[in-house]
Amino acid sequence: MVSTMVQSQSGEVRRWTVGRVLAWVALGILIFITLFPLWIMVKTALTFPKDMFEGASSLLPSNPTLLNFRRVLGLISPEENLALGGVANINFAVALRNSLLFTGTIVVLQTFFSAMAAYAFARLHFPGRNLLFFLFLSATMIPGAVLFIPNFILIKNLGWLNTFQGMVAPFVLMTPFAVFFLRQFFLSIPKELEEAAHLDGATPFQIFWKVILPISRTPLATLGILTTIGSWNEFFWPWIVSKDPNMQLITVALKSFQTQTPQGSPDWTGLMAATFLAVIPVVLLLVLLGRQVVESLQFSGIK
């Protein structure tokens, strides 16, 4: 088999075989397939609305412009936006604000409550603990769609339709995955730390707050990242609970934007600009902290 010897800057000698070269070529092709749609999205977002079909065959925008981003952020008048073929009554700046508030509330509360439940299952001893934990984990086998109707009836009876609390209510408490994930980490913490804090007179909650949480920053951050991605992409529940345009999340606003066709066809340039704004937070989160997520999952023993 043909191979070449390549010496890296660190002095390590690497053998480049045909198989390794083919693996890198295949990886490059997969990366291209993954990133190409994102590039088309960016290219369309930078294209002037009236030039979109003329330059459809080009991989680069002929006259790059930030007009579409200004349109979807409400930085031009509704009349000008409508004249350019856009939708006049959707402001993505408001939708971005709502999504940030929605996501931030869920991440903070769900992570905190899940950590408390996980610590109880990992350290506290009470009758039926293992059975209760098994029943709690069995909830992962229930499809989420089954819960939409009872949750909707509950929110309606509480008078929380078209309200922020109605949108976040089903997500702010603990989830089976989050509890299982954190419990695995808490079980690996030496009990001597808690016993020492207990001898100093600390209560169980003080031990949890001042000892356990500070040394659990990595799994808590990982859980926060995963919860952020799920909450940011949440669509169906906010869509059926809140019909008020001022309460729309970015995902719901994108759907409304796509279905409105003032000029007989969707405003593709504006839609791509809005989609790019919606994708940026998740991409940055994965680029900056993606390795931490993988390492923390491996450490916790989750396959």
Side-chain angles (χ1 to χ4, degrees), residues 193-210:
L193 293 175
E194 301 168 67
E195 293 173 353
H198 181 70
L199 292 176
D200 289 338
T203 63
F205 184 78
Q206 288 176 330
I207 295 174
F208 168 74
W209 184 259
K210 296 183 178 180

Side-chain angles (χ1 to χ4, degrees), residues 39-271:
W39 170 246
I40 296 298
M41 175 185 66
V42 174
K43 176 249 182 183
T44 306
L46 296 174
T47 303
F48 194 79
K50 296 182 179 179
D51 297 338
M52 187 190 70
F53 294 106
E54 296 179 1
S57 60
S58 175
L59 293 179
L60 297 174
S62 56
N63 296 305
T65 177
L66 296 177
L67 175 64
N68 298 309
F69 294 98
R70 294 174 54 220
R71 291 197 296 121
V72 298
L73 290 175
L75 300 180
I76 65 175
S77 65
E79 292 76 15
E80 293 177 309
N81 189 19
L82 192 60
L84 292 169
V87 179
N89 60 346
I90 294 182
N91 188 339
F92 280 93
V94 176
L96 283 171
R97 180 203 64 190
N98 294 338
S99 288
L100 289 173
L101 184 60
F102 175 84
T103 302
T105 302
I106 292 175
V107 169
V108 172
L109 295 180
Q110 186 181 120
T111 302
F112 177 71
F113 290 133
S114 297
M116 287 201 302
Y119 182 72
F121 284 124
R123 287 293 190 258
L124 302 184
H125 297 280
F126 52 89
R129 183 188 67 169
N130 294 333
L131 177 60
L132 181 60
F133 181 66
F134 173 77
L135 293 176
F136 189 72
L137 286 184
S138 65
T140 58
M141 296 183 292
I142 302 176
V146 176
L147 303 176
F148 277 120
I149 294 178
N151 283 338
F152 181 82
I153 295 175
L154 176 61
I155 295 301
K156 182 180 179 182
N157 291 336
L158 291 173
W160 287 357
L161 293 180
N162 293 315
T163 63
F164 179 76
Q165 59 267 28
M167 288 196 297
V168 303
F171 307 100
V172 295
L173 297 179
M174 54 274 189
T175 62
F177 169 77
V179 173
F180 174 73
F181 175 74
L182 293 177
R183 177 181 175 271
Q184 295 298 104
F185 182 83
F186 292 160
L187 288 174
S188 66
I189 298 176
K191 292 184 178 180
E192 290 76 10
L193 293 175
E194 301 168 67
E195 293 173 353
H198 181 70
L199 292 176
D200 289 338
T203 63
F205 184 78
Q206 288 176 330
I207 295 174
F208 168 74
W209 184 259
K210 296 183 178 180
V211 178
I212 300 300
L213 290 186
I215 63 178
S216 305
R217 293 178 181 176
T218 298
L220 290 175
T222 300
L223 180 61
I225 294 169
L226 298 177
T227 307
T228 298
I229 295 174
S231 302
W232 185 264
N233 293 326
E234 186 65 37
F235 167 74
F236 192 66
W237 177 256
W239 180 62
I240 64 175
V241 170
S242 180
K243 298 297 183 180
D244 186 355
N246 293 324
M247 295 295 298
Q248 286 184 344
L249 303 186
I250 186 68
T251 51
V252 180
L254 285 172
K255 179 63 176 178
S256 300
F257 193 92
Q258 181 184 8
T259 55
Q260 297 188 30
T261 55
Q263 305 297 329
S265 62
D267 178 13
W268 293 114
T269 55
L271 182 62

